[in-house]
Amino acid sequence: QVQLVESGGGLVQAGGSLRLSCSASGNIFSINNMAWYRQAPGKQRELVAGIRSGGGTNYADSVKGRFTISRDNAKNTVYLQMNSLKPEDTGVYFCNAMITTAQKSTNFYWGQGTQVTVSS
C-alpha cells in the first residue's frame, strides 16, 4: 500500500504565505513525477505545479513567480511554498505522485487534500 499525506494548509490573509508538504509512505520502490493540484468550489481540479525526479519544474501561469515547488527525495516528500497569496488561490490542494512499488507496479496516487483559504 502507498499513502500520500498532505499538511500545511490553513487560513491566511491576502499577501501572506503558506508552505504545504506531502509525504509518501508505504511499499515504494521509486517516485517519478510529483505535483500539486487545486480545486476551487464549483471548478475543476487544475495543475498548480509539477516537479520531475531530476528536479525540472513547471507551473501554472497564475502562480508563476509566487509559488515554488521542491522535493526531498530522501524523505519522499514534495513541498509547495506559496507566497503573495491571493483570494483566488483558495481551494483544496491535492498532492499527486507517480510511484513504482517494490512489485514494479506504477500508478498515480493522490493525497486526501488540504484546505487553503485566502481572505481579502
Side-chain angles (χ1 to χ4, degrees):
Q1 280 290 61
V2 172
Q3 189 176 19
L4 298 180
V5 178
E6 299 113 334
S7 62
L11 173 64
V12 64
Q13 288 189 331
S17 297
L18 284 174
R19 189 191 193 211
L20 306 183
S21 299
C22 171
S23 294
S25 62
N27 189 23
I28 297 171
F29 175 74
S30 65
I31 302 178
N32 196 341
N33 298 345
M34 304 184 83
W36 288 97
Y37 287 74
R38 69 185 177 192
Q39 188 165 17
K43 295 189 176 181
Q44 288 189 330
R45 191 172 298 188
E46 63 174 355
L47 175 67
V48 175
I51 184 166
R52 294 176 284 282
S53 56
T57 59
N58 59 284
Y59 296 91
D61 287 343
S62 59
V63 307
K64 283 180 181 177
R66 300 188 297 121
F67 291 10
T68 302
I69 189 171
S70 61
R71 63 191 287 172
D72 184 333
N73 291 329
K75 295 181 179 179
N76 290 339
T77 299
V78 62
Y79 305 96
L80 186 67
Q81 178 66 43
M82 305 186 293
N83 299 328
S84 302
L85 282 161
K86 304 176 181 180
E88 51 264 42
D89 294 318
T90 294
V92 180
Y93 283 68
F94 297 90
C95 174
N96 176 270
M98 183 179 177
I99 295 175
T100 299
T101 66
Q103 289 72 38
K104 303 302 188 290
S105 174
T106 301
N107 287 288
F108 287 95
Y109 294 86
W110 291 93
Q112 81 286 356
T114 185
Q115 177 70 44
V116 171
T117 303
V118 184
S119 63
S120 58

